[in-house]
């Protein structure tokens, strides 16, 4: 989960993130992440975490989503 959050953070902050093309990427999460798969991982993590931890993670994800 920490890798997914770190990658999502990098992805939304990267200046070219809107140019991402799933057909042209290498598929390596740290280089060319699959955006839907990455968000799915984060959503699953939120669903299985205890409520307090899930709230914290949701806030972190929401702050990153605002940059998207």
């Amino acid at each position: 989960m920490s890798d997914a959050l770190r990658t999502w953070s990098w992805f939304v902050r990267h200046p070219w993130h809107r140019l991402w093309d799933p057909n042209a990427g290498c598929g390596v999460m740290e280089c060319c992440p699959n955006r839907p798969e990455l968000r799915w991982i984060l959503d699953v993590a939120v669903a299985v975490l205890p409520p307090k931890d899930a709230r914290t993670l949701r806030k972190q994800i929401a702050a990153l989503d605002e940059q998207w």
Side-chain angles (χ1 to χ4, degrees):
M1 183 216 36
S2 63
D3 289 342
L5 185 60
R6 183 175 39 257
T7 302
W8 182 244
S9 176
W10 168 82
F11 185 71
V12 298
R13 291 180 175 147
H14 193 284
W16 292 354
H17 74 269
R18 295 204 186 268
L19 300 177
W20 176 77
D21 179 4
N23 299 319
C26 67
V28 175
M29 186 179 292
E30 292 80 9
C31 177
C32 303
N34 179 327
R35 189 183 95 63
E37 180 180 326
L38 189 55
R39 284 311 311 261
W40 178 80
I41 292 169
L42 293 171
D43 291 341
V44 168
V46 167
V48 299
L49 284 171
K52 182 180 177 185
D53 295 331
R55 247 187 325 275
T56 301
L57 182 56
R58 273 196 301 271
K59 286 180 185 178
Q60 291 174 327
I61 293 170
L64 292 170
D65 286 349
E66 288 181 18
Q67 296 178 32
W68 174 253

